[in-house]
Every structure is written in C-alpha cells, then in structure tokens.
Amino acid sequence: MRRMPHYKSLDRGPVDFKSRVHRKEGDIMTIAKKPVVSVTQTMRIKNAVDLMVKEGIRRLPVTEPGSKRLVGVVRTRDILEFLGGGEKFNIIKVKFGGNFLAAINEPVRVVMERDLTYGTSRMSITEVARLILDKGVGGVPILDDDGKIVGIVSEHDFLRFVPEETGAKVSYYMSRHVVTAESSFRILDAARTIVSRGFRRLPVLSGGRLVGIVTSMDILRYLSSNRIFDHLSSERFEDAMSISVGEIMTREVVKAAPEMDVGEAAGIMHQRGCGGLPVVSGEELLGIITEHDLMRLLL
C-alpha cells in the first residue's frame, strides 16, 4: 500500500494511456473544480472538519479575506496529525494539556500547511499531473496570475482519462504490500499509521478476513458527528480517539478482482468516489489499487 515508490517501469506495461490526456497549454481549467470552497485562517478547526465532511473534500484552501490570495491548505492529513498522528499533536499536549475540546476550537492557521505546492491556470493537464506525481501530493490548488485560487485538481480528476478497456489486469499494477488494521485497533492507532506511512486508507481485517476499510475521511466524519461526544467522558483527547475502528469503518467495501481490467477499476473509483480498491480473491486480500497507481499510467 506504499504510495511512492512502488511502481513498475512503464516501458514494461502493456498499455499506452498517453493519448487520453489533453496536452493543450493552459487546459487544466477544463477539469479543475470550481468554484473552490475555501476558508480564512480564523475558522475553527472543528468547523473546517465539518465543512470538509459536508463537501466531501480532502483538502481545504485557506485564503486571505478580501483578496482571496492563497496562504495555506488544510488537508485531512493535517487534521489527523493534530489529533495524534504526528508532530502537530504536540500542540494539544503542550498548549492544551491534552484538552481535546479546547484544541479543536483553535483556528485553522495552527494546523494548515504553509509550504504549498500549486499549479497555475496557464499549465496543461499533463503538466499538473506531473507536478502532483513529482511532489507526491494528492492534489493541488490552481492559481491565476494574481495568486488567487481559481480551481483545485486532485488525483481523482484524472481517472476519467483511463480507457474503459485497456487489456491490463489489476494484478499487474496493484500494490501487494498492504498495511492493514484490525477491527479492534483504536482510531488513534489508525490515524498514526495513516500519517506515518503516507496512506489515506487501511483495509480492516478480523480473523484474517476483510471486514471493512477505514479512511482518513471516515475519521473526519467521526470527529464531525455527535458520536464523538458519546465517548468523551472527560475533555481528554484519549477519550475521543480510543474507540475501535470497527465503530467508524466503512463496512460495504467496494473491491476489485485481480483479473479485473484496470480501466474497469478506474471507472468504479470514479463513479463511486473512492480513491482505492482492495484487491481480493475469495476472502483473501491480495493487494490494493489506488487512484495514485492509475494516474501514473497516464504519463
């Protein structure tokens, strides 16, 4: 399930997708999402999480009021780091002494990413695709000549360029080294694994059998819901993040078979709005194929 690197040389691959990608200079705006949902630096972290869940987005641009110039981005990864998955958790421990409720009411400027990777409205689709892959990011905001955000593009937007039938099997391109979670894992453990390993999802096993999948967005949905307060016997962070992933995971998992055409897998991901498919044979988990894997095939 490693994101980068774990890809076979493209000259060994049986498929040429390059002709599917537009190459006209400046055509990135034809696939960029617009208008862009953005927030200011003063929005509370909890409100930002609620907005990301409502809009179904993994990255939330942060702009200056008035000018709308981009100053940062809040990603699901930043939220998970803040909530125990990485270095930003020190903010909760040091500044708030572990007080969860106080921490999530901090402004997003506390957790937003300031070292920005972005594209411009003058770039081609191919150039932005290469930028995303070279930087190892899941998407980029698109800025105009004045530095204002005019669109946003993610790996998911490139799935449409994969043909419905390619003649290539999922088993050839899937990642076979899958990191999983047990259904008894705490949400905190899942968040730490997602952040430290650079993943967005973990297949969940019980007795060696695939029973669900937990994603970074599943954790954000939990944080956004009233369920979190059912487990908050005190104001301590550990209470909120100590329930099992089995309580929040997605149980109806969309799967791929190893012999499935990668074009069919891309179509399923695009239609279902999911970023990865566990690859199974019977009840055995063989690997996982993600939008990141398929995007690399386009270049």
Side-chain angles (χ1 to χ4, degrees):
M1 194 171 170
R2 292 177 294 177
R3 293 191 60 222
M4 294 194 53
H6 188 59
Y7 298 95
K8 303 171 180 68
S9 172
L10 295 186
D11 61 6
R12 293 175 53 200
V15 184
D16 179 12
F17 297 152
K18 295 181 176 65
S19 62
R20 298 278 296 190
V21 182
H22 301 296
R23 297 185 179 278
K24 181 179 177 182
E25 182 178 0
D27 64 358
I28 189 58
M29 292 305 295
T30 64
I31 71 167
K33 290 185 177 67
K34 47 189 182 296
V36 180
V37 177
S38 63
V39 300
T40 64
Q41 297 184 63
T42 57
M43 174 174 271
R44 296 188 308 163
I45 293 171
K46 177 61 166 63
N47 291 346
V49 170
D50 293 343
L51 182 59
M52 294 169 79
V53 169
K54 177 184 176 183
E55 298 293 334
I57 53 180
R58 295 195 300 246
R59 54 192 55 80
L60 187 60
V62 182
T63 58
E64 293 178 344
S67 73
K68 295 299 181 180
R69 290 176 63 87
L70 184 70
V71 294
V73 175
V74 177
R75 308 160 299 174
T76 53
R77 176 187 176 89
D78 298 315
I79 303 297
L80 296 191
E81 274 197 51
F82 180 62
L83 295 172
E87 293 181 2
K88 292 179 181 178
F89 179 49
N90 289 329
I91 299 170
I92 293 181
K93 290 194 298 184
V94 175
K95 185 173 181 179
F96 299 103
N99 187 310
F100 176 78
L101 294 178
I104 62 173
N105 282 298
E106 280 289 278
V108 296
R109 63 171 174 266
V110 171
V111 298
M112 72 180 189
E113 177 63 40
R114 291 178 168 82
D115 184 14
L116 299 176
T117 297
Y118 59 87
T120 73
S121 57
R122 295 178 180 270
M123 295 175 73
S124 70
I125 292 174
T126 303
E127 288 173 327
V128 174
R130 289 195 181 280
L131 175 66
I132 288 173
L133 288 172
D134 289 346
K135 295 295 185 178
V137 295
V140 292
I142 306 297
L143 308 185
D144 65 12
D145 292 342
D146 296 322
K148 296 180 181 179
I149 184 166
V150 292
I152 194 163
V153 178
S154 71
E155 289 176 333
H156 198 79
D157 297 316
F158 292 89
L159 292 178
R160 70 183 72 178
F161 297 116
V162 181
E164 293 181 5
E165 295 185 11
T166 68
K169 294 181 178 180
V170 162
S171 59
Y172 187 85
Y173 292 102
M174 71 183 185
S175 295
R176 299 177 183 274
H177 304 289
V178 186
V179 175
T180 61
E182 291 293 325
S183 57
S184 59
F185 274 26
R186 298 179 303 165
I187 294 178
L188 179 58
D189 299 324
R192 286 173 176 167
T193 301
I194 287 171
V195 170
S196 65
R197 302 297 292 270
F199 303 150
R200 298 179 195 144
R201 60 196 63 82
L202 297 174
V204 181
L205 305 181
S206 178
R209 184 172 62 89
L210 181 68
V211 294
I213 191 165
V214 62
T215 69
S216 55
M217 188 58 74
D218 288 326
I219 298 176
L220 260 63
R221 289 191 191 98
Y222 166 66
L223 296 173
S224 179
S225 72
N226 290 329
R227 285 183 296 164
I228 191 170
F229 298 104
D230 296 336
H231 299 281
L232 207 60
S233 57
S234 70
E235 295 182 346
R236 304 293 297 176
F237 162 80
E238 289 80 5
D239 291 337
M241 298 291 283
S242 291
I243 70 167
S244 70
V245 297
E247 294 193 39
I248 68 164
M249 68 184 184
T250 299
R251 296 179 181 275
E252 298 297 323
V253 183
V254 184
K255 311 178 187 75
E259 66 275 9
M260 179 183 286
D261 190 289
V262 293
E264 183 180 353
I268 292 172
M269 285 187 227
H270 189 252
Q271 293 167 12
R272 300 292 293 267
C274 54
L277 303 176
V279 183
V280 300
S281 178
E283 294 189 352
E284 182 183 3
L285 178 65
L286 302 179
I288 191 165
I289 189 162
T290 70
E291 57 195 6
H292 191 76
D293 297 319
L294 295 175
M295 185 177 166
R296 286 188 66 90
L297 305 180
L298 295 169
L299 299 176

